[in-house]
Amino acid sequence: MAEGHAHGAGASSKRLMWALVLTTTFLIAEVVGAVVFKSLALLSDAAHMFTDVAALAIALAAIKIGERPADSVRTFGYRRFEILAAAFNAVLLFLVAGYVLYEGVLRLFAPEPVGSVGMLVVASLGLVVNLVSMRLLASGANASLNVKGAYLEVWADMLGSVGVIGGAVLIMLTGWAWIDPVVAIGIGLWVLPRTWMLLKNTTHILLEGVPKDLSLEAVRATIAAVPGVAEVHDLHLWGVSSDDVNGSVHLVLAEGWDAERVRRAVLAQMNDVHGIDHAAVQIESGPAGEGEALGHGRIAHP
């Protein structure tokens, strides 16, 4: 593992730990508030807060496990655990949103009295906790799908807290108890499309799809343009985690070219043009399948 990556993982671990402590502490208070003040909106927010706690705990565990080096069994190491963690968080969010939507519809037909003042106080405290947690996680959200998953859950919960605050104020002014389940349903509907995107991205990586921002055809064209390359086939691009790219390709050499020289040129172009720093290049000196010579390479970062 590169020193820069390890340093970034360490910083993310500390931020995740602080966010986890804050969120867990407030989760307990919000569950108590939901029960005492009979608020489905607060319960919805508490459910999202619970998934925040789970997401943060799993994200932290994923970073720790992902730092373990490769061994004779896990030759790519344990970095894919972060993708599994992000996928689990997405599934958990889907289940929570489904429950909230179901309960919200039931409450619409049978509204219950809500303690709006207590609901307002608890939601306001929750908003503060969410904002602090978001600030802690923001810097790592673009570098890791795992941290991004946790960040999105905290972000969704922050907007949920805003919705609960608005609902509490309206209930105080109007006395309309049905506002509480409407807010809960709104939170659930808002979360679903973002959760779908997270699940879509993690599934794409687990299925070893072409990494984001890369085009298979563009990479193929770059390789084909290297002097000495007569044919490109069996090109594969995939990522083990959210921040790495791996590739493999078979090449047929043009007549008279040195295999090692062409191989190194291809590796350099894959890295310089497309950021693919871990690739296997198989050189074939004749028609596809004849006279194969295997070459692997990784471009070392300065």
Side-chain angles (χ1 to χ4, degrees), residues 1 19 40 46 54 56 65 71 80 106 119-120 122 152 162 168 192 200 204 243:
M1 179 178 295
L40 181 61
L56 292 166
I65 293 174
D71 53 36
R80 180 152 284 184
L106 292 182
M119 177 180 166
L120 177 62
V122 175
L152 285 176
V162 172
L192 284 176
K200 181 180 177 181
H204 182 74
D243 59 353

Side-chain angles (χ1 to χ4, degrees), residues 221-289:
T222 297
I223 297 172
V226 174
V229 174
E231 182 183 337
V232 179
H233 59 95
D234 290 335
L235 173 62
H236 300 281
L237 302 172
W238 73 95
V240 174
S241 63
S242 59
D243 59 353
D244 76 338
V245 182
N246 297 272
S248 67
V249 64
H250 288 205
L251 306 177
V252 175
L253 287 182
E255 186 175 352
W257 284 84
D258 178 70
E260 182 61 17
R261 179 181 176 185
V262 173
R263 186 184 71 83
R264 289 183 175 276
V266 167
L267 286 171
Q269 284 294 93
M270 291 176 74
N271 181 70
D272 295 343
V273 179
H274 301 287
I276 305 169
D277 68 347
H278 194 178
V281 177
Q282 180 163 313
I283 301 292
E284 300 167 355
S285 57

Side-chain angles (χ1 to χ4, degrees), residues 54-73:
L56 292 166
I58 293 170
L60 188 61
I63 288 177
K64 294 298 184 182
I65 293 174
E67 290 175 349
R68 295 171 62 181
D71 53 36
S72 59
V73 177

Side-chain angles (χ1 to χ4, degrees), residues 96-294:
V96 170
Y99 170 76
V100 168
L101 291 174
Y102 173 76
E103 284 293 323
V105 171
L106 292 182
R107 286 276 191 103
L108 280 176
F109 292 100
E112 296 185 13
V114 177
S116 56
V117 175
M119 177 180 166
L120 177 62
V121 172
V122 175
S124 298
L125 291 174
L127 177 61
V128 173
V129 171
N130 290 142
L131 289 172
V132 173
S133 296
M134 283 177 62
R135 183 61 181 267
L136 288 171
L137 298 176
S139 63
N142 291 327
S144 165
L145 274 180
N146 183 39
V147 178
K148 183 177 182 179
Y151 176 80
L152 285 176
E153 293 199 45
V154 174
W155 188 42
D157 198 51
M158 182 273 293
L159 292 181
S161 295
V162 172
V164 175
I165 291 171
V169 172
L170 288 175
I171 293 172
M172 290 172 62
L173 295 175
T174 65
W176 296 338
W178 55 264
I179 292 175
D180 180 62
V182 167
V183 170
I185 291 173
I187 294 172
L189 291 176
W190 186 90
V191 167
L192 284 176
R194 287 149 186 83
T195 304
W196 167 249
M197 288 305 298
L198 177 62
L199 185 60
K200 181 180 177 181
N201 290 337
T202 55
T203 301
H204 182 74
I205 293 176
L206 291 174
L207 291 176
E208 298 191 341
V210 176
K212 183 181 178 182
D213 300 327
L214 274 184
S215 163
L216 193 71
E217 291 308 314
V219 175
R220 188 189 306 276
T222 297
I223 297 172
V226 174
V229 174
E231 182 183 337
V232 179
H233 59 95
D234 290 335
L235 173 62
H236 300 281
L237 302 172
W238 73 95
V240 174
S241 63
S242 59
D243 59 353
D244 76 338
V245 182
N246 297 272
S248 67
V249 64
H250 288 205
L251 306 177
V252 175
L253 287 182
E255 186 175 352
W257 284 84
D258 178 70
E260 182 61 17
R261 179 181 176 185
V262 173
R263 186 184 71 83
R264 289 183 175 276
V266 167
L267 286 171
Q269 284 294 93
M270 291 176 74
N271 181 70
D272 295 343
V273 179
H274 301 287
I276 305 169
D277 68 347
H278 194 178
V281 177
Q282 180 163 313
I283 301 292
E284 300 167 355
S285 57
E290 295 184 8
E292 297 181 347
L294 184 64

